[in-house]
Amino acid sequence: MTLPKEYGGHGRSALERYVVVEETLAAGAPVGYHWVADRQSGLMVARLGTEAQKKSIIPAITSGEACFAIGMSEPNSGSDLASVKSKAEKVADGWLLNGTKIWTSNAHNATHMIALFRTDFSPDAKHKGLSQFLIDMKTVRGITPRPIRDLTGRGHFNEVSFVDVLLPPDALLGREGDGWNQVTAELAYERSGPERYLSCFLLLSELIKVLDGKASPSALAKIGAELAWAATLRNMSLSVAGMLNEGKDPSLQASVVKDLGCHFEQRLPGLAQELVAMEPTLSDSGIDYQQVLGNLMLLAPSFSLRGGTLEILRGIIARGLGVR
Amino acid sequence: MNLDTLRFPPYELPASLAPLRAEVREFLKTELGAYRPVVRSNTWDGTDAAFSRSSVPVAGWA
């Protein structure tokens, strides 16, 4: 919704988007198909893309047709992006990609991917030798997403293999070798939004409904403490939104929001079980509360993976505080 | 350790955004009527291309 009007976007502000995201997540709207495109990929194309890339991709995003995945983490290097080994070699017809990405959300549904590949293979290149590519998942050959079944039995994350994938020369997004800086800026959008404290909000709301005014004082105190956490995380997240709005770099603050938000969201299913003596279930035999609890108990452990693992975030926080 | 780098300057959403919030809430009340709570609990993990195609072009509500 923040994409430029000249390419079919709505030109709304990041703060307007913040309000819409809060409302859609609190209500539990199924936004996964367009989520990544709206949150970050569309902005990346608008900021770094060529005129041709903008004209071809942004209208697909604003019509809700495009579903984006982000190819960053890799097997054996996890979220440590400086260790990316997947290669993009410059060849006569464009770029030849080989390698594997992992923990790629929604890759099996994606129409497009923005992926980070190594384009400089000298041993000391590390951060400097990375580039981003805009990939049309439906037309190029050699890309195979394999869903990784999680505890719910669904395959949200994927392992994605690239075998001799030939991309046209204009698939490069931004500048060759500038991938590290581009990705770092992109991650600030990913780590601090309302999704970091609203992923389990429906459970909190169903829990309050099921208690129906009959909660003990100690149960009320525990729910109150979690609501205070939610309010504090919201203020921290808004602060990051304000910094982004003013063109500042909030990487450190965004990492703190993601880390604390993840802990908050992952402990809510446990609290619900402690306060209400009802078994979680995925079966229709349970009431809504039991089904929501059953789903989130199985889903919440994966929250520490998406948007960078907690270990990586803490490394960023340590560096930001000058202790690493 | 330099804790001065870890500041969260207070920031409030402008009051002018309240009508947008009300409008989105109303829109979602209608759009989400058929979705059971367990489906809605997936939020941004929940992929529904039909919902995206119908809601995104409406005033850019992505």
Side-chain angles (χ1 to χ4, degrees), chain A residues 30-74:
Chain A
V31 293
Y33 189 82
H34 64 260
W35 179 256
V36 168
D38 178 61
R39 182 179 63 184
Q40 60 200 87
S41 303
L43 296 175
M44 295 289 287
V45 174
R47 191 162 62 86
L48 302 166
T50 61
E51 200 54 28
Q53 285 171 331
K54 290 178 195 175
K55 280 184 177 161
S56 95
I57 301 296
I58 296 179
I61 293 175
T62 56
S63 63
E65 294 294 330
C67 175
F68 268 75
I70 309 163
M72 289 191 191
S73 298
E74 294 190 355

Side-chain angles (χ1 to χ4, degrees), chain A residues 293-316:
Chain A
L293 176 60
N295 188 39
L296 288 172
M297 276 188 71
L298 298 174
L299 197 58
S302 69
F303 293 175
S304 22
L305 284 173
R306 55 193 195 183
T309 60
L310 297 185
E311 289 77 8
I312 289 293
L313 296 171
R314 286 173 189 172
I316 295 170

Side-chain angles (χ1 to χ4, degrees), chain A residues 1 23 32 34 239 291 306 321, chain B residues 2 9 21 36 45-46 52 60:
Chain A
M1 67 182 280
E23 290 302 321
H34 64 260
S239 175
Q291 293 180 38
R306 55 193 195 183
L321 295 176
Chain B
N2 181 9
R21 189 180 289 282
R36 292 159 55 219
D45 276 323
S52 293

